[in-house]
Amino acid sequence: MPDPIAKPDLPSPAARALQLRSLFALNKPGARRWPFALRAALAMGVPAAIGWAAGDLPAGLMATIGGFTAVYGNDRPFLNRAFHLGAIAVSFALAVMIGVVAGGTEWLTVPVVTLLATAAAFLCSALKVSPPGAYLFTLAVAAGTAMGAEHLSWWHVGTLVLAGGAFAWVLHMAGAILAPRGPEVLALKAAARAVGDFLIAATTPGGDTARHQAAIALHLAWTVLVSQQPVQPRPNGTLSRLRAEGRELHMIFAEAINAVGAGEPIPQANVERVQAIARQGAMPVDVTNPGHIPLGRVSGWQLLKEGARPGAQAFEIGLRVAVASAVSGLFGWLTNIEHAYWITAAAVLMLYQGLDRATMLQRGIQRVGGTLIGTVLAGVVLYLHPEGLWFAATIALLQFIIELLVLRNYGLAVIFITAIALTIASGGHPVADIPHQVWVRAEDTFLGCAIGVAAFLLLAKRGTSRAISQELFRTWGAIDLVAQHLATGDADTAGVRGARRNLQHHIILLLQSYDAAAGSGAESRATAEPLWPAVVATQRLAYRLLAAAWRIEAASATGGNTALAEELFGKEGAVQLHACLAGIVNALHNGTAPPPDPEVPAFLEAEIRLLGSSIVFPSSRA
């Protein structure tokens, strides 16, 4: 067993740097990506084909904007996906309509695009909308300001985009016929694989990394199985069985953490059980409790409030996008650059995911490089000038290839992204000056990426280390609250479930805060790195406490929860832990070291000692 007081083994994200090899590496393919790629291809190609058949290809191309709905929500359960995709489709229609209206008044264009891009970036980040997130909404509203379909009114445009979104919705929901619980099974299997990796690596130097990855996978699985589901599923139905197995995975994960903390071996039976779940997904279980929601739900309102705090990732993303959108839009307006909205879209693309500096620079190099190569492919397509159904088929084929490649290597996907963008921009008409058209695309992409990088570098230093400290304080407060509940034997009432949920949530936010600071430049990295041991020590303490919560909850079934709580915490354990955490907080505020060897519950002693020794206090700095 590794020394519990040893330096945390989780490698600091601050050590990451741009590596040229990563620009060309192929990531592992996702599970069965081709059905998703096929849906996206049909969502783009079919509206264009219908527009051609109806004698109005521009109207068909307008509907393809709504077809982008097909690239969202792939990991959500179908019922939740139905509402999510419906909101996406309506949002695309509104964005394009607003863009069309704003495009009619020259001075409105830049403010409207900036406002909507900022709102989309903040909302998508705060509400955890998966990529392409705010990027396509920005592209939609910006493109709407420059549309040349004069024969279409703003409401006609909105109707066409909504129709394209509705068609994409149907395609995306069709999978419910063959595998109505497919997303839930995939999420459970992924969590089981991650827990299995942790069980194997728990006592090795990579134990911290494996534990965190398992916790993230369990959190994502529980989001799919609980937060994105109706509150009361059918008893003994597939969802209830999946929830029961998800809860079992949490229990096994907690038992492993407790075993490592006590220096005991992890039972081989647990390893085999987890491997069986990873292979088979939903299996028969003796008892299900469809009303049992161990960790509750994080509401959208809570996510928005957290995201609106200065220093929060969503707040910083929204600020950077606001600056980049305003600068790129103003530059395009002043210089009267053709297709200036491409500049804004490229700038937002660099910023909307909240990437660290190294990853963002990699994304920028891949975007510019892929665009330069893609202009050659686009030139060939424009030269061949496919017409009618061939034009629609070309769009569909390019979109299919994009979705197959985008997760494997973004730079390769950009080659085809460039080709499809220029193909759609041609409107199916011959292009008189192909070299000029492709050069404008490359120029706009370079300018947009440069503006995005500049906005990141300008704003990346804003209170990053302070954000880590604030998130440490919040996580310690969440630890304290959970401990107060557990010390009384309360592990499964609504109040403690919410407290446990919030603690798990803060563990993830804590690492995200560090990630953002460590990747924001040399100055931010220098102030963030001394806090890294405290981040990992806090994670260890939090996971140990959550593992105890699962153990006490399991004891509730036999009425032994109170006795177990007293065994773990004693009579004054919660008070001791509260005093210890308060001492650490006060020491940080006052610039003094905390009291040595504080009295705390025995099962948390190693984690508390690690936390105390990991914090760099002002008085001890060189």
Side-chain angles (χ1 to χ4, degrees), residues 323-339:
V323 172
S325 299
V327 171
S328 58
L330 189 61
F331 180 83
W333 178 65
L334 291 175
T335 57
N336 199 28
I337 290 181
E338 185 179 356
H339 294 301

Side-chain angles (χ1 to χ4, degrees), residues 309-310 467 469-479 503 506 513:
R309 291 196 301 252
S469 298
Q470 292 299 321
E471 202 53 59
L472 279 170
F473 294 151
R474 295 187 186 101
T475 307
W476 294 338
I479 288 171
L503 176 54
H506 282 297
S513 296

Side-chain angles (χ1 to χ4, degrees), residues 439-466:
W439 172 250
V440 167
R441 174 68 178 188
E443 182 182 57
D444 290 350
T445 297
F446 176 79
L447 288 171
C449 289
I451 291 171
V453 170
F456 177 88
L457 296 177
L458 177 67
L459 300 170
K461 299 178 182 179
R462 293 172 35 83
T464 47
S465 61
R466 181 176 178 273

